[in-house]
């Protein structure tokens, strides 16, 4: 494998491969480094349909979509190194790699982090009870089902009602595993339609809202879970628990490195050109924002590729830029920083995410002065999109702030 | 098919010099000790794998014994165990992280207790223990919350690998001809003509002498020989382990000033490069299941954050709980019954990882005195274990096909742990031998691949063939 490239991309999911293909088509020398044995990222093990509409105008299964991304990248001349883990990223665009070939380094003019996101495990959710086999995330469930052909259990409770939770239901059905119930801590299903229709109409799985998983039971294997609703506890017998959703960016590589992370998103902080605090290193896809669809990650990968090409032409502005403060009701907003100048705003993306369901006003302000606002109803895990122009203007004025002001209910 | 090393017809008739009941750290240290001495030893463990009891979940500190009761058997065993551990660690490739410890006083009352802690340490012969002022403390521990009034430094407390050490004891005993049966519970037994016949789930096991190292079941097993003079009531300890970046927040083991009942909640780095906060001390009747409690775990995070405010921004990697084999007595329940050919190693509550080698040496001494002279010991065969410590080079430093990315575990390491000696028979056992799936993703990325490799060999992880 080569030691040098124009662009080194970490991760071969939709974001990484979307960027890689665009860059290679523009004539750059691109290497994608992927730690799994197969390229394609999460879609590789997402055996049901739900992919490809934006990218290929066709509804594809995850694996078919992943294969398409990989073959397009290869056709464009991208080198994909699988079975190779990036174990360190150091200033100067250097990646330390570990593979069965040993330890090597790869240096590139631009590095793109596209390491994706994963679901929060049992431990970080502080779930009580014993620690038997049978408590896994959707991602692992899918790898068991679609990649290994191993049935991890036979009757499962699904925790969470995000979109991915319905993907878990479909996976259970494919594996011949009974879905006992879905358990949601919030007052309503988190996912937008058709997730809830899938549960209610297609799969006939009871959805328990305002219900909290308090305890897991079992010695060697799960024998049941204890759920609390309105102060009363009840038991659901099962031999598996799927902990779905609650995504966090996969930042193992950069957690102890030199890049600034945003505590709100958990991912690297970027400017509007996807540049992290090391201008040579960009980031795109779910590592920035748990979690969006593959189409969004792919589009971000392409937008980051466009930024890299602009930088190669010398068109990107330099400087630390203006930090954007995030106010009440919003978990985070990205980009976290705006640098003055560069390509026009029409192509920029600003997104923020709500912490809980509420009605109020989204406000973009600078130095206490409101530049833009609109009424909005926010729901957890739902993205809100913001216009770029007022954010850029706020950054120009200084003390830029994006907030969600809840209306006082009388 | 599980490879639990079950007895066949041919071996069931064997007569052993010694049978150790219990494959915790104490039983395994005794197993090693008597195998090294040249006896024909069998160890039986009811769990699917070794370390199924108290020894699988502790704080992993190698104690100097500075705060142990002066003159007690516990202190003697801890200090002998500590010394032997340091001596054999290089031969068995056991990692040592000399972090030192600080007992921190946060109130005038606690501050007033510090001289007593120093005096006790000196009475125990740990002479380098001394009081330090807050300035010195904060220079060493800059992330500690403000408000500490003083501290006692204990320079030679170490953090060790609580799992590789007993595995190394097992390997060394096996290399010296010992036998280990796992998944084999002792149900009863009788002694006739100087020979014990233990009734186990895998048939009779005959041995001239029996060592009871059954931990939280110590009194139940003791009743095979006599009415148990002690009663075990497990004391649970819950822990929260933070992700690796948090390990920068504590250089040493941060201890509170202890109370009568417990040493209290500590914060320290782990040998795997994380930061641990715990344990609690909760008495319970249940002897096998150590359940977690979400509210208690949240309380531990709050306690940790009061101690080290920057912990607030750190994420949790793991949560676990262990059961201390506590009895109504503070000191260990160690006794030899010469007429019964029985040695009791019971009630090793909260210092057994440190003391195990000392307890084993003490047991050998009791055996030689009261039961039989030990044969001339052959030269030891050293069985170094793979290094799992974060601060020392691991196999993945040479590259390799990584199967667990969070903990940088290679496929070859997992295959080796599944192959043996003493191959992993449970997922917990595989994790303890390799660190696989113990990282921040807890198996999101690698558990299916691990299941493929294990291929049904682990009692608690389904494989393609099951
Ligand atoms: C269960 C599930 C079901 C889903 N269903 C749908 C759906 O139906 N439709 C849809 O549009 N979206 C779906 N999604 C979301 C979609 O899969 C993701 O949005 C998309 O895969 C994100 O792309 P990405 O490139 O950001 O990251 P990923 O696809 O996660 O790819 C990241 C890649 O980086 C690699 N990597 C990470 N760290 C390193 C390192 N240090 N060295 C080398 N490589 C590394 C990883 O191995 C991985 O292959 C689903 C997600 C899940 C989890
Ligand atoms: C929370 C906590 C923190 C601790 N921190 C430390 C520390 O930092 N440093 C330190 O030195 N010590 C520490 N300890 C103490 C240490 O872990 C224990 O003292 C030690 O593990 C006890 O080992 P054991 O072999 O006696 O018991 P166990 O490990 O419980 O072993 C007994 C074994 O016997 C088996 N068994 C039981 N009944 C039968 C039967 N009938 N037939 C066959 N097998 C049977 C069990 O399955 C078990 O595996 C801590 C303990 C806890 C719980």
């Amino acid at each position: 494998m080569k030691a040098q490239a124009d662009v080194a991309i970490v991760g071969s999911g939709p974001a990484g491969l979307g960027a890689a293909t665009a860059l290679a088509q523009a004539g750059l020398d691109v290497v994608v480094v992927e730690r799994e044995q197969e390229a394609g990222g999460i879609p590789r093990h997402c055996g049901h349909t739900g992919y490809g509409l934006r990218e290929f105008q066709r509804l594809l299964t995850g694996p078919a979509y992943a294969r398409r991304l990989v073959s397009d990248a290869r056709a464009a001349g991208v080198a994909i190194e699988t079975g190779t883990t990036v174990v360190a990223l150091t200033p100067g665009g250097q990646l330390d790699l570990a593979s069965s070939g040993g330890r090597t380094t790869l240096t590139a003019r631009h590095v793109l982090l596209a390491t994706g996101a994963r679901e929060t495990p049992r431990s970080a959710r502080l779930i009580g009870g014993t620690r038997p086999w049978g408590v896994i995330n959707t991602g692992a469930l899918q790898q068991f089902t679609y990649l290994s052909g191993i049935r991890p259990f036979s009757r499962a409770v699904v925790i969470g009602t995000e979109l991915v939770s319905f993907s878990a239901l479909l996976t259970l059905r494919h594996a011949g595993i009974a879905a006992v119930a879905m358990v949601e801590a919030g007052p309503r299903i988190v996912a937008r339609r058709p997730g809830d229709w899938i549960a209610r109409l297609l799969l006939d799985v009871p959805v328990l809202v305002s219900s909290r998983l308090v305890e897991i039971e079992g010695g060697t294997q799960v024998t049941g879970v204890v759920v609390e609703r309105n102060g009363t506890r009840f038991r659901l017998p099962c031999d598996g628990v799927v902990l779905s959703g609650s995504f966090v960016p996969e930042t193992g590589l950069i957690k102890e490195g030199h890049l600034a992370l945003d505590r709100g998103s958990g991912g690297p902080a970027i400017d509007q050109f996807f540049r992290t605090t090391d201008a040579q290193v960009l980031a795109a896809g779910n590592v920035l924002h748990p979690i969006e669809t593959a189409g969004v990650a792919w589009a971000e990968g392409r937008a980051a590729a466009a930024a890299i090409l602009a930088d190669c032409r010398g068109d990107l502005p330099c400087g630390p830029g203006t930090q954007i403060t995030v106010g009440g009701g919003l978990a985070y907003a990205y980009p976290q920083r705006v640098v003055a100048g560069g390509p026009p705003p029409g192509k920029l993306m600003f997104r923020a995410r709500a912490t809980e369901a509420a009605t109020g006003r989204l406000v973009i302000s600078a130095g206490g002065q409101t530049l833009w606002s609109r009424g909005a109803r926010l729901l957890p895990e739902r993205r809100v999109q913001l216009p770029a122009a007022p954010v850029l203007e706020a950054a120009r004025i200084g003390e830029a702030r994006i907030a969600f002001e809840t209306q006082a209910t009388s | 098919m599980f490879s639990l090393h079950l007895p066949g017809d041919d071996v069931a008739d064997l007569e052993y010099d010694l049978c150790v009941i219990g494959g915790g750290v104490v039983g395994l240290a005794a197993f090693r000790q008597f195998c090294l001495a040249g006896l024909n030893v069998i160890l039986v463990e009811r769990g699917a794998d070794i370390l199924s009891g108290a020894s699988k979940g502790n704080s992993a500190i190698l104690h100097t014994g500075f705060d142990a009761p002066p003159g007690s058997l516990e202190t003697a065993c801890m200090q002998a165990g500590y010394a032997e551990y340091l001596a054999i660690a290089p031969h068995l490739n056991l990692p040592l992280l000399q972090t030192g410890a600080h007992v921190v006083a946060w109130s005038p009352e606690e501050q007033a207790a510090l001289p007593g802690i120093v005096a006790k340490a000196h009475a125990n012969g740990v002479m380098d223990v001394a009081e330090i002022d807050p300035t010195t403390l904060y220079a060493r521990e800059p992330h500690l919350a403000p408000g500490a009034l003083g501290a006692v430094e204990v320079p030679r407390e170490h953090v060790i690998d609580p799992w590789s050490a007993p595995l190394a004891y097992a390997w060394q005993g096996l290399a010296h001809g010992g036998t280990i049966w796992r998944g084999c519970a002792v149900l009863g037994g009788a002694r006739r003509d100087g020979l014990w016949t233990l009734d186990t789930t895998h048939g009779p096991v005959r041995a001239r002498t029996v060592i009871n190292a059954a931990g939280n079941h110590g009194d139940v097993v003791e009743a095979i020989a006599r009415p148990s003079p002690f009663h075990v009531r497990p004391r649970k300890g819950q822990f929260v382990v933070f992700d690796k970046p948090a390990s920068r927040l504590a250089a040493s083991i941060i201890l509170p000033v202890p109370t009568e009942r417990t040493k209290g909640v500590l914060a320290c780095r782990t040998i795997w490069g994380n930061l641990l906060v715990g344990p609690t001390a909760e008495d319970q009747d249940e002897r096998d299941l150590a359940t977690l409690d979400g509210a208690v775990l949240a309380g531990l995070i709050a306690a940790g954050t009061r101690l080290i405010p920057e912990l607030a921004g750190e994420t949790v990697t793991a949560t676990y709980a262990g059961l201390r084999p506590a009895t109504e007595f503070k000191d260990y329940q160690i006794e030899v019954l010469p007429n019964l050919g029985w040695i009791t190693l019971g009630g090793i509550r909260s210092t057994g990882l440190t003391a195990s080698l000392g307890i084993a040496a003490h047991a050998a001494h009791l055996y030689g005195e009261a039961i039989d002279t030990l044969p001339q010991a052959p030269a030891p065969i050293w069985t170094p274990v793979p290094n799992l410590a974060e601060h020392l080079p691991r196999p993945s430093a040479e590259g390799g096909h990584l199967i667990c990315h969070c903990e940088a575990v290679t496929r070859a390491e997992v295959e080796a742990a599944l192959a043996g000696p003493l191959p992993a028979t449970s997922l917990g056992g595989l994790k303890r031998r390799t660190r696989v799936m113990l990282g921040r993703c807890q198996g999101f990325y690698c558990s299916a691949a691990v299941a493929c490799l294990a291929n049904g060999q682990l009692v608690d992880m389904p494989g393609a063939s099951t």
Side-chain angles (χ1 to χ4, degrees):
Chain A
M1 143 166 213
K2 39 184 157 185
Q4 235 110 43
D6 292 333
V7 185
I9 297 180
V10 190
S12 68
L17 291 180
T21 303
L23 290 164
Q25 282 168 348
L28 295 191
D29 179 19
V30 184
V31 178
V32 174
V33 185
E34 170 56 55
R35 63 191 185 184
E36 300 296 340
Q37 302 303 307
E38 289 285 331
I42 295 270
R44 203 170 34 97
H45 54 68
C46 198
H48 55 74
T49 56
Y51 289 93
L53 278 182
R54 180 195 297 237
E55 307 87 315
F56 308 119
Q57 295 77 48
R58 293 179 51 191
L59 194 59
L60 299 171
T61 65
Y65 169 76
R67 281 193 296 274
R68 176 80 190 266
L69 289 177
V70 171
S71 61
D72 282 4
R74 289 228 163 91
V78 174
I80 305 178
E81 302 287 345
T82 55
T84 307
T85 307
V86 180
V87 291
L89 164 68
T90 38
Q94 187 184 311
L95 300 175
D96 294 350
L97 311 179
S99 71
S100 42
R103 289 289 280 253
T104 49
T105 59
L106 171 64
T107 311
R109 264 200 296 154
H110 289 98
V111 173
L112 177 67
L113 294 171
T115 52
R118 58 176 170 80
E119 294 158 291
T120 301
R122 180 237 171 110
S123 51
R125 297 173 190 235
L126 305 185
I127 296 167
T130 55
R131 297 189 302 134
W133 166 257
V135 184
I136 61 178
N137 291 125
T138 316
L141 171 71
Q142 290 194 334
Q143 293 182 53
F144 271 97
T145 302
Y146 292 111
L147 300 185
S148 311
I150 300 174
R151 220 165 69 129
F153 31 65
S154 59
R155 288 173 58 76
V157 167
V158 175
I159 307 301
T161 56
E162 296 179 33
L163 256 184
V164 64
S165 319
F166 298 93
S167 168
L169 285 187
L170 293 172
T171 308
L172 291 176
R173 188 171 69 159
H174 179 86
I177 301 170
V180 175
M182 288 185 106
V183 176
E184 168 59 45
R188 63 178 75 77
I189 289 177
V190 173
R192 46 177 108 226
R193 300 203 152 81
D196 53 345
W197 296 348
I198 295 176
R200 289 201 180 126
L201 306 176
L202 194 62
L203 301 174
D204 196 22
V205 179
V207 183
L208 312 174
V209 295
S210 301
S211 301
R212 192 172 63 90
L213 169 65
V214 282
E215 205 165 283
I216 288 167
E217 297 178 344
T220 305
Q221 173 133 15
V222 172
T223 53
V225 294
V226 177
V227 174
E228 188 179 270
R229 180 161 53 173
N230 301 331
T232 48
R233 291 187 174 193
F234 54 95
R235 188 172 176 275
L236 296 172
C238 59
D239 67 353
V241 180
V242 183
L243 299 175
S244 70
S246 290
F247 280 87
V248 289
E250 172 61 2
T251 52
L253 172 61
I254 51 174
K255 263 197 150 171
E256 288 167 280
H258 66 295
L259 306 182
L261 295 181
D262 177 359
R263 278 204 180 173
S265 69
I270 54 164
D271 67 15
Q272 76 268 37
F273 305 109
F274 297 91
R275 293 179 298 187
T276 67
T277 44
D278 174 346
Q280 238 179 319
V281 180
L282 292 83
N286 281 338
V287 71
L288 295 176
H289 47 60
I291 178 184
E292 302 286 357
T293 61
V296 171
W298 177 84
E300 277 180 358
R302 297 186 53 98
I308 289 173
L309 293 172
D311 197 32
C312 291
R313 292 190 304 266
D315 285 351
L316 289 197
C318 302
T322 306
Q323 206 67 35
I324 295 171
T325 311
V326 175
L330 298 177
Y332 58 89
Y334 70 96
Q336 288 82 357
R337 245 172 33 246
V338 169
V339 182
K347 297 212 182 101
L348 304 187
M349 287 189 262
F350 288 91
R351 295 203 176 94
R353 201 186 286 276
T355 49
E356 58 190 79
T359 308
R361 290 195 84 69
L362 278 167
V363 179
I364 300 172
S365 62
Q369 179 203 339
T370 300
L371 300 182
W372 175 93
S373 82
R374 87 168 150 82
R377 170 150 176 76
L378 300 191
L379 290 167
E381 292 301 324
R382 298 274 178 85
R383 175 198 341 136
V384 275
Q385 212 140 357
L386 300 170
V391 181
L392 288 180
E393 175 61 8
R396 197 187 57 74
I397 298 171
E399 288 180 57
R401 182 179 148 93
I402 300 175
F404 180 66
E405 291 164 4
T406 46
Q407 279 151 2
T409 40
S410 47
Chain B
M1 185 46 213
F2 310 134
S3 51
L4 292 178
H5 285 227
L6 298 182
D9 291 340
D10 46 335
V11 290
D13 289 337
L14 280 180
E15 255 181 51
Y16 293 92
D17 295 326
L18 184 73
C19 175
V20 179
I21 304 175
V25 69
V26 172
L28 289 164
F31 172 73
R32 167 183 180 269
Q33 176 82 35
F34 285 97
C35 288
L36 281 175
L39 258 52
N40 186 17
V41 187
I42 184 171
L43 180 144
V44 292
E45 163 57 50
R46 74 205 274 266
D49 205 343
I50 59 167
L51 310 186
S52 290
S55 307
K56 76 176 166 201
N58 55 41
S59 318
I61 297 170
L62 186 70
H63 298 292
T64 52
F66 78 98
D67 58 350
S72 65
L73 180 59
E74 180 181 15
T75 307
C77 289
M78 281 171 78
Q79 297 195 328
Y82 178 95
E84 186 170 357
Y85 193 94
L86 293 188
I88 68 174
H91 301 293
L92 293 175
N93 197 34
L94 297 175
L96 280 157
L97 190 61
Q98 185 172 351
T99 56
H102 290 105
V103 185
V104 181
W106 298 97
S107 69
E109 298 77 55
E110 289 180 352
Q111 196 180 13
L114 296 183
I117 293 172
V118 174
K120 190 179 194 180
H122 292 177
N124 282 330
V126 190
M127 306 311 286
D128 54 358
V129 170
E131 261 191 80
I132 57 170
D133 59 22
T135 314
T136 312
L137 175 67
Y138 283 107
R140 291 178 191 169
E141 297 290 359
H143 303 283
L144 204 60
L149 302 178
V152 166
E153 63 169 347
V154 192
R156 286 177 298 117
E157 295 279 291
H158 288 76
V159 168
I160 63 173
D161 177 344
W163 302 324
S164 295
L167 181 67
Y169 306 161
W171 278 11
Q172 203 174 14
L174 290 173
H176 279 262
T179 303
I180 295 178
W181 286 352
R182 291 168 289 172
C184 176
V186 174
L187 307 169
R191 184 174 159 91
R192 202 184 311 142
D193 304 328
L195 188 68
W196 275 102
T197 301
L198 295 174
D199 175 21
T200 80
T201 47
H202 294 295
V205 172
R206 278 179 266 280
R208 274 180 284 285
T209 305
V210 170
I211 289 186
N212 170 11
N216 284 306
H217 294 266
D219 50 351
V220 179
V221 167
E222 191 70 8
I224 295 171
R226 56 167 172 167
S228 179
F230 58 90
H231 176 73
V232 175
R233 184 131 196 271
R235 185 168 297 166
K236 179 166 72 184
Q238 302 188 49
F239 292 93
V240 172
V241 179
F242 289 87
D243 200 0
K244 297 189 194 307
S247 68
R248 75 184 190 284
L249 299 175
S252 65
I253 302 159
I254 314 281
L255 301 164
V257 172
T259 65
E260 219 1 76
R261 218 175 83 75
T262 157
K263 292 184 178 177
V265 171
L266 59 86
C268 73
R269 285 189 279 160
T270 70
I271 202 82
W272 308 292
N274 297 72
L275 189 96
L276 161 159
V277 173
T280 56
E282 309 162 59
D283 293 330
Q284 63 176 47
D285 292 321
E286 164 62 42
R287 290 167 185 258
D288 293 310
L289 294 179
T291 54
L292 297 166
D293 183 300
V296 172
L297 296 173
L300 279 176
I301 293 176
T305 309
R306 277 195 300 276
L307 206 57
I308 304 169
E310 283 166 73
L311 266 184
E314 301 294 334
T315 52
V316 171
T317 289
T319 52
Y320 68 97
L323 297 179
R324 307 172 185 87
T327 72
E328 63 272 51
F329 304 103
K330 209 168 182 328
D331 207 352
Y332 294 167
Q333 297 302 296
I334 296 185
E335 201 177 336
V336 59
L337 308 173
N339 299 333
L340 290 178
W342 185 275
I343 299 175
T344 308
L345 305 178
I348 318 295
R349 187 179 65 197
S350 50
T351 50
L353 177 64
T354 304
S356 57
L357 293 168
I359 294 169
H362 182 61
H365 173 76
L366 295 176
Y367 181 96
E369 247 183 7
I371 294 185
D372 203 353
T373 48
L374 285 167
Q376 189 71 43
I381 301 164
W382 296 107
T383 49
V385 286
N387 171 52
L388 300 185
E390 188 78 359
H391 67 291
L392 297 169
R394 303 203 21 239
S396 56
E398 310 282 301
H401 171 173
L402 296 192
I403 187 158
C404 165
H405 305 286
C406 302
E407 295 296 306
V409 183
T410 63
R411 181 186 165 121
E413 287 176 278
V414 174
E415 285 171 338
L418 288 167
L422 207 65
T425 46
S426 69
L427 180 56
L430 184 66
K431 291 177 178 178
R432 293 191 285 271
R433 282 169 180 78
T434 59
R435 280 171 58 170
V436 78
M437 287 171 65
L438 284 176
R440 53 179 75 90
C441 94
Q442 297 277 303
F444 177 95
Y445 291 109
C446 72
S447 54
V450 170
C452 280
L453 273 186
N455 196 27
Q457 177 179 326
L458 309 175
V459 291
D460 49 358
M461 190 181 220
S465 54
T466 48

